[in-house]
Amino acid sequence: MRRFLREHSLTLVFAGLFLAALVGQLFTGNADYNERQAALGQPLLTLGSYLVSADFLVDVVENWQSEYLQFFLYVWATVWLVQRGSPESKPADKAGPETAEEQQLGRHTTESSPRWARAGGWRTSVYSKSLGLAMLALFLFSWTMQWIAGCFANNSDPLAEKVGLFEYFLSADFWNRSLQNWQSEYLAIASMAILSVYLRQRGSPESKPVGAPHSVSDRSG
């Protein structure tokens, strides 16, 4: 058990932080919602009712979709786009999908390679893009949930005009919720790419060695 916890500590710690933050959001979101309801003379919601409400769901998934969008774009963009000197980037001469040898495909696979990497054909083609596709699917799912939950939350507001799903998709509220999250993700990616050229974090795989030259990318030796 101790070995398992150590070898999976990164996932377990952040999963725990996620759950703690989600519970905190539930309590604070319920309190904030009830403050607004009381000011309008509307009924208050219990914690359990707020947990299954559209207001809580839309606040949760609008952040999820922007995070998965960030990872999807980063996974796909870093195939072709580079930032000289950043450990978040490949060296410029490695831009693109790389050779079969570099990716350990075809005759370069081994018995320990994943089954679909050794299978060839459409299975290897799909598997070679599976991380980006998974992030895209999670983004589209959470964005769709934000759209639907946002529409229900809007229509439950006594001061808001009642709209259908398509009308809400075109509404300022939906796109404001989306774009205010997207712009922060784009800024975070750009900041990490350029700051990691010049700054260091000893022992982190997201950083170059402390003494590495600024111009050296992570895989350029």
Side-chain angles (χ1 to χ4, degrees):
M1 177 59 71
R2 182 177 298 177
R3 180 179 178 182
F4 175 84
L5 293 175
R6 182 174 182 273
E7 292 181 346
H8 299 278
S9 58
L10 185 61
T11 298
L12 292 172
V13 166
F14 278 92
L17 290 172
F18 159 73
L19 291 175
L22 187 63
V23 171
Q25 182 183 352
L26 172 63
F27 280 93
T28 58
N30 183 222
D32 179 63
Y33 178 86
N34 284 337
E35 285 179 6
R36 289 183 281 114
Q37 289 291 95
L40 296 172
Q42 298 295 316
L44 308 185
L45 287 183
T46 64
L47 194 65
S49 297
Y50 181 71
L51 174 63
V52 296
S53 70
D55 288 87
F56 177 65
L57 180 60
V58 71
D59 286 343
V60 170
V61 294
E62 75 173 73
N63 289 290
W64 290 4
Q65 58 89 2
S66 64
E67 296 300 329
Y68 286 122
L69 175 64
Q70 175 192 133
F71 285 120
F72 162 67
L73 292 177
Y74 200 68
V75 166
W76 282 75
T78 51
V79 174
W80 301 98
L81 306 181
V82 299
Q83 172 59 59
R84 183 185 179 190
S86 174
E88 299 294 311
S89 166
K90 298 188 292 185
D93 61 355
K94 298 292 185 181
E98 302 183 355
T99 66
E101 181 178 4
E102 291 170 320
Q103 289 292 310
Q104 300 178 40
L105 293 172
R107 63 186 178 88
H108 302 287
T109 59
T110 66
E111 290 185 359
S112 59
S113 297
R115 185 190 308 175
W116 277 40
R118 291 184 279 114
W122 68 270
R123 286 179 292 179
T124 297
S125 180
V126 170
Y127 187 68
S128 68
K129 303 176 180 65
S130 56
L131 180 59
L133 290 172
M135 293 299 170
L136 176 60
L138 288 167
F139 160 66
L140 292 174
F141 171 77
S142 52
W143 197 35
T144 300
M145 292 300 295
Q146 177 197 331
W147 170 26
I148 296 171
C151 182
F152 277 93
N154 175 84
N155 290 343
S156 66
D157 185 343
L159 301 180
E161 180 183 354
K162 306 302 182 284
V163 296
L165 276 174
F166 180 72
E167 292 175 293
Y168 183 73
F169 183 80
L170 300 177
S171 70
D173 181 70
F174 176 71
W175 285 100
N176 180 55
R177 284 179 177 271
S178 296
L179 293 171
Q180 69 177 330
N181 284 282
W182 293 359
Q183 55 86 14
S184 65
E185 303 303 335
Y186 301 150
L187 177 62
I189 290 175
S191 299
M192 185 61 179
I194 192 63
L195 290 177
S196 61
V197 175
Y198 303 103
L199 306 180
R200 306 287 189 269
Q201 181 62 53
R202 183 173 180 172
S204 173
E206 299 302 309
S207 168
K208 294 182 291 188
V210 177
H214 293 324
S215 60
V216 176
S217 297
D218 185 50
R219 293 170 55 190
S220 63

